[in-house]
Amino acid sequence: MEANSSSNPGVNISTPSTTQSTTDSAINTNAGNGKGGKASKVWEHYTKLENDTKCKFIGTRTLWNHLAACTAYADRKVDLKQKTLVFEDNTTGGGSNLVAISCSKEDIRKACIEMIIIDELPFSFVEKEGRTVARDVYQLYLNEKNNLKKVFARNKYRVCITTDCWTSIQNLNYMVITAHFIDDEWQLHKRILNFCQIDDHKGDTIGKLIESCLLEWGIDRVFTITVDNASSNDLVISYLKKKLNNWGGLVLNGDYLHVRCCAHIINLIVTEGLKEMNNSVSSIRNAVKYVRSSPARLVRFRKCVEHEKLDSKRIVVMDVPTSALVYQKAFERLEDDDGFYRSYFEEKEGGKKRIGPPEHIDWVNASVLNNFLENFYEITKKFSASLSVTSHLYFHEMHSIESNLKGLIVSDDSYFSAMAKKMKEKYDKYWGSLNTLNKLLIVAVVLDPRYKLSFVKFCFEELYDENVVCELIKVIKGLLSSLYDFYTNNNSRCDSGSQNQSVNAVICPSELEKKSDIIDYRLAKVAKLSKWKKKQLEEDGVELKNEVDKYLLDDCENCFDDSFDLLNWWKVNGGKYKVLSNIAKDILSIPISTVASESAFSTGGRILDPFRASLSPKMVESLICGQNWLCSSRIAVEEDTSSVEDMAFYESITSDNKNGFFQKPNPINPTRPNPQSCGLGRVGLKNVMGWVGLNFFNPFYMRVGSGWLSTRPNPTRAHP
């Protein structure tokens, strides 16, 4: 007999039990030789050979057993508990681990839905109707949203928000709201909270929608809101500032809530300067228009490129200066070889004669302008980053732009001087003084340990008089001190037991008297070292009032180190600057452009194409938000629930020790304490006394309230 490779798809047969096989064997003894009797269903999957000889006492059990193990049989029963060996990447280090995993229909279905969302595939990619896929997509969106809500509710992050509006191909208005924050592992995250329909672009409408979004997500701690320079956004900020102040979620009464999109301001500055565009640029643009106006002209131009032995693989493009400047010799040759080239510039366009053809001086002017605008292009790219910290870059580029514009204003070239004056006027409108810009962006560079406040002073001295510099530095340092005071008093995520840690802190003798003899000795040693350090600083004439003074007086890091990781530095030094690190965590998460939100519109434009314009707004939100959440990195959560329990635990150990609790008689050796009498057991007591006895004198382990003395290992902390 041979198994039939093309089984009947209409018959659903599972592997029968032993009783069923025995029954078939008894009933169908002659089923295979055609001598009558009811045929077993197993014969539907086998083909009888012509010259086959078979014992009449053998039943169908062997056939059933083969069918159950045959991989070609689609309806065979599969053991759902069976696992498969696969290699998974090792999360703690390099290499991979061999693990056993199980696969279910639910896992495959979920993976399929994630593929549709991430790769922006149509629902019909899986099934013709797509209704089941739509339900699964929406359910996955709800599940991911609930998980993200739990993270926000648990950690109470202070978030920075970017928002923008967009009109889709459906002629519907959409608004996107993106939250930016740094988690407990000092990783920057961005999460799209809403991509919802909005009635209009009025300030009140946008403000109320943002308010409802924050209420839905349970977010009441907002640090900044980054928007473009539309006039309606001023009303948005005013409305939200009033509401968030009522919630008690703003820093310094929301005076620095409004952050203008720096990339948009750069665009306004450059556009203002290009209004003074001279004839040189216009003549080159007209020459490119001529080449691109017909295939025959493009062929003649390519021949000129070949004759001049230039790079013929590149194509000249309108308004891409580098593509035209490299073909200067080709355009000059085209003027000699093509008789229609000059006549093209004799024609009128818009009632005026075309400017051109470009001469040598025009190419020189265009090259200089290209080099000048290239700086703004690089600055825009830096400001537009959304997956890395950008707030500390603002001051560097702002100083660079102002220095370049001031130098061009006094230039001998009248064209560039006039252009620089126009650009400087637009620059002064938004960044001309501390009253027009958000001073938190200057504090951001102060919190960069490579530069600090001395670099800000150095840059100001190049632009302003000494009196103005002193006033500006006083304002910036005053703002940093105000932030320090606010976070010391109001930041619930800050460890109140170590908010004002400095070398001036001295342990009072009265506190030492409350401890046991062993712990009293350790604390006395710490107190002695603290007094010595304080005296040493007093002799040096240095007085440290708080972490701000200590941070500013410490040496700067190497500013020429390209591999310097700003977030990692604060992660490592967070214990040294407990309060200041929380300020840095919020300030460094400020996005200085709305590109993070505008990038969602690019995704929306791909999802809502002419072939999928019937998607509902809720489904569009599910796809866009789901893609963002699935593609984002994991949010690190610090579990700090052991602080209060550990404090009570160690206080009970101290009090029990003073009461002689550990000195209960030991039945084995009466001269030694009984470790089991305290309920910890030998191992538990050994671990506790090992931490207390050996490490209590170490200042790194003095933070009992933060869990450093916890006998329960915390994977989110890196013990020194």
Side-chain angles (χ1 to χ4, degrees):
M1 299 293 178
E2 292 183 355
N4 190 354
S5 59
S6 58
S7 59
N8 187 357
V11 180
N12 185 10
I13 304 175
S14 59
T15 303
S17 61
T18 305
T19 304
Q20 181 183 358
S21 299
T22 306
T23 304
D24 285 341
S25 178
I27 295 176
N28 302 294
T29 304
N30 300 321
N33 53 22
K35 294 183 179 180
K38 186 178 179 180
S40 174
K41 291 183 178 181
V42 74
W43 294 106
E44 298 177 1
H45 307 287
Y46 286 86
T47 301
K48 184 179 178 181
L49 300 177
E50 292 294 336
N51 300 323
D52 181 35
T53 59
K54 176 177 179 292
C55 179
K56 64 180 181 179
F57 299 104
I58 297 179
T60 58
R61 178 183 296 181
T62 304
L63 303 180
W64 281 115
N65 291 340
H66 170 76
L67 195 63
C70 182
T71 58
Y73 178 43
D75 294 333
R76 70 189 181 96
K77 186 177 180 181
V78 180
D79 187 3
L80 298 179
K81 296 181 180 179
Q82 180 67 37
K83 295 186 177 182
T84 306
L85 293 177
V86 296
F87 286 98
E88 284 188 353
D89 294 335
N90 192 353
T91 56
T92 59
S96 58
N97 297 329
L98 183 63
V99 297
I101 63 170
S102 59
C103 185
S104 64
K105 292 182 179 180
E106 290 74 16
D107 295 336
I108 297 176
R109 189 187 190 103
K110 182 180 179 182
C112 181
I113 297 302
E114 291 180 356
M115 177 186 67
I116 291 176
I117 294 176
I118 294 175
D119 295 338
E120 302 171 6
L121 300 173
F123 294 164
S124 59
F125 181 82
V126 177
E127 55 185 56
K128 196 66 177 177
E129 294 297 330
R131 297 177 182 176
T132 305
V133 176
R135 288 195 297 267
D136 291 344
V137 167
Y138 187 66
Q139 186 60 48
L140 187 144
Y141 159 76
L142 293 178
N143 294 340
E144 293 294 330
K145 184 175 183 179
N146 290 333
N147 294 336
L148 191 56
K149 277 185 176 181
K150 292 178 183 178
V151 173
F152 281 117
R154 181 177 183 179
N155 293 274
K156 295 295 182 182
Y157 291 116
R158 193 182 301 277
V159 302
C160 300
I161 290 177
T162 58
T163 182
D164 206 351
C165 296
W166 172 65
T167 302
S168 70
I169 193 174
Q170 302 167 310
N171 203 23
L172 296 177
N173 296 323
Y174 286 90
M175 187 183 74
V176 61
I177 303 173
T178 308
H180 305 255
F181 59 94
I182 296 176
D183 64 11
D184 295 317
E185 288 296 322
W186 287 88
Q187 296 295 322
L188 179 65
H189 296 274
K190 69 165 187 175
R191 294 292 188 275
I192 297 178
L193 302 181
N194 277 44
F195 192 93
C196 50
Q197 188 178 355
I198 187 172
D199 297 333
D200 52 61
H201 294 177
K202 295 181 180 179
D204 292 339
T205 307
I206 297 175
K208 291 178 180 179
L209 191 55
I210 296 177
E211 179 190 11
S212 64
C213 172
L214 296 177
L215 290 172
E216 179 187 4
W217 283 86
I219 297 175
D220 55 4
R221 292 157 55 90
V222 178
F223 192 57
T224 60
I225 300 177
T226 304
V227 292
D228 58 25
N229 294 282
S231 57
S232 60
N233 286 327
D234 294 335
L235 298 177
V236 174
I237 298 300
S238 299
Y239 178 86
L240 293 175
K241 182 178 179 180
K242 180 174 62 176
K243 296 299 180 182
L244 292 173
N245 259 328
N246 296 335
W247 299 352
L250 292 181
V251 175
L252 301 180
N253 298 320
D255 293 339
Y256 308 99
L257 179 66
H258 189 188
V259 177
R260 299 183 183 273
C261 177
C262 295
H264 189 243
I265 294 177
I266 293 292
N267 180 56
L268 294 177
I269 294 174
V270 173
T271 303
E272 191 69 21
L274 292 180
K275 290 180 180 179
E276 298 293 325
M277 184 188 304
N278 62 357
N279 296 337
S280 296
V281 177
S282 299
S283 62
I284 296 177
R285 294 184 79 252
N286 289 333
V288 175
K289 281 183 181 180
Y290 172 81
V291 171
R292 303 282 297 182
S293 59
S294 71
R297 293 174 178 176
L298 186 58
V299 169
R300 290 196 294 269
F301 177 76
R302 286 178 176 173
K303 290 182 179 180
C304 295
V305 172
E306 293 177 359
H307 293 162
E308 293 294 334
K309 297 182 180 181
L310 301 175
D311 185 6
S312 59
K313 296 181 181 179
R314 303 177 63 180
I315 300 177
V316 62
V317 181
M318 181 69 66
D319 291 333
V320 179
T322 54
S323 68
L325 293 176
V326 296
Y327 292 127
Q328 176 184 350
K329 295 181 179 180
F331 278 104
E332 293 174 349
R333 188 182 187 93
L334 183 65
E335 184 177 359
D336 299 332
D337 297 349
D338 190 349
F340 299 99
Y341 182 72
R342 278 195 167 274
S343 60
Y344 173 79
F345 294 94
E346 300 295 332
E347 300 173 358
K348 291 185 178 181
E349 183 179 23
K352 297 182 179 179
K353 180 179 174 294
R354 290 193 180 97
I355 301 176
E359 300 178 358
H360 178 73
I361 187 62
D362 296 326
W363 293 105
V364 173
N365 292 337
S367 178
V368 175
L369 179 62
N370 175 60
N371 295 333
F372 172 69
L373 296 180
E374 187 176 1
N375 296 328
F376 290 92
Y377 171 71
E378 295 296 332
I379 293 173
T380 303
K381 287 201 303 183
K382 293 180 181 179
F383 285 173
S384 301
S386 59
L387 298 178
S388 59
V389 177
T390 56
S391 57
H392 68 298
L393 302 175
Y394 164 78
F395 181 77
H396 297 273
E397 308 306 335
M398 182 195 72
H399 174 263
S400 175
I401 292 174
E402 186 169 3
S403 300
N404 291 336
L405 291 179
K406 285 187 174 182
L408 278 177
I409 289 176
V410 297
S411 174
D412 296 334
D413 193 315
S414 59
Y415 163 65
F416 285 105
S417 177
M419 182 183 66
K421 288 180 182 179
K422 288 286 186 179
M423 299 174 71
K424 187 65 168 60
E425 292 176 2
K426 185 65 68 173
Y427 174 92
D428 292 338
K429 180 180 179 180
Y430 296 103
W431 296 338
S433 66
L434 291 182
N435 297 326
T436 58
L437 57 85
N438 194 317
K439 291 185 279 292
L440 290 179
L441 300 181
I442 301 181
V443 175
V445 76
V446 177
L447 294 177
D448 189 334
R450 295 171 294 179
Y451 304 102
K452 299 186 179 181
L453 193 63
S454 58
F455 177 77
V456 176
K457 182 179 180 181
F458 172 78
C459 294
F460 279 156
E461 289 174 347
E462 292 185 349
L463 301 175
Y464 309 111
D465 296 333
E466 182 178 357
N467 296 333
V468 178
V469 171
C470 294
E471 186 66 26
L472 294 177
I473 295 300
K474 183 178 179 181
V475 172
I476 299 302
K477 187 175 182 180
L479 174 57
L480 184 57
S481 299
S482 299
L483 288 170
Y484 178 83
D485 295 337
F486 177 87
Y487 276 73
T488 301
N489 299 325
N490 297 281
N491 195 350
S492 60
R493 289 179 60 82
C494 216
D495 186 3
S496 58
S498 58
Q499 286 178 351
N500 194 21
Q501 293 181 356
S502 66
V503 294
N504 293 323
V506 179
I507 302 176
C508 301
S510 59
E511 297 178 359
L512 298 176
E513 294 174 358
K514 300 178 183 178
K515 308 296 180 182
S516 62
D517 295 338
I518 297 178
I519 299 179
D520 187 47
Y521 168 75
R522 306 303 181 191
L523 293 177
K525 185 174 182 179
V526 175
K528 182 177 67 175
L529 294 176
S530 299
K531 291 180 180 179
W532 168 74
K533 193 66 177 176
K534 179 181 178 182
K535 182 178 180 181
Q536 186 183 41
L537 292 176
E538 288 177 351
E539 292 176 353
D540 295 338
V542 178
E543 181 182 1
L544 301 181
K545 297 180 180 179
N546 51 36
E547 290 179 9
V548 176
D549 296 331
K550 186 175 186 301
Y551 169 77
L552 295 178
L553 288 174
D554 286 345
D555 294 336
C556 295
E557 300 292 334
N558 183 13
C559 61
F560 298 103
D561 185 6
D562 296 333
S563 62
F564 181 81
D565 190 340
L566 179 57
L567 293 182
N568 185 67
W569 188 93
W570 278 107
K571 178 182 177 181
V572 173
N573 293 272
K576 184 178 181 181
Y577 309 106
K578 184 64 178 178
V579 180
L580 207 59
S581 63
N582 283 275
I583 300 175
K585 182 178 292 186
D586 292 338
I587 289 184
L588 295 179
S589 63
I590 298 176
I592 60 176
S593 73
T594 59
V595 172
S597 293
E598 292 176 358
S599 61
F601 300 147
S602 300
T603 305
R606 293 191 300 268
I607 292 176
L608 287 173
D609 58 18
F611 301 98
R612 290 203 295 177
S614 60
L615 289 175
S616 65
K618 199 64 183 176
M619 185 54 60
V620 173
E621 181 181 28
S622 302
L623 292 170
I624 293 178
C625 293
Q627 184 190 68
N628 173 257
W629 299 340
L630 292 174
C631 295
S632 300
S633 58
R634 184 185 64 88
I635 301 175
V637 179
E638 179 180 6
E639 297 180 1
D640 198 16
T641 59
S642 60
S643 300
V644 178
E645 299 174 359
D646 288 344
M647 178 67 74
F649 177 67
Y650 289 106
E651 286 180 354
S652 65
I653 292 178
T654 305
S655 61
D656 289 339
N657 190 29
K658 293 180 65 175
N659 296 331
F661 185 65
F662 293 136
Q663 281 70 34
K664 291 186 178 182
N666 189 331
I668 300 177
N669 187 356
T671 62
R672 297 180 62 85
N674 184 0
Q676 296 182 352
S677 62
C678 64
L680 295 176
R682 294 182 181 271
V683 177
L685 180 61
K686 180 180 179 181
N687 290 339
V688 173
M689 298 310 295
W691 276 90
V692 177
L694 297 179
N695 295 321
F696 203 85
F697 66 92
N698 192 330
F700 286 104
Y701 292 94
M702 287 299 296
R703 296 174 57 221
V704 179
S706 296
W708 289 116
L709 286 173
S710 175
T711 57
R712 296 191 297 270
N714 191 339
T716 60
R717 293 185 180 274
H719 293 272

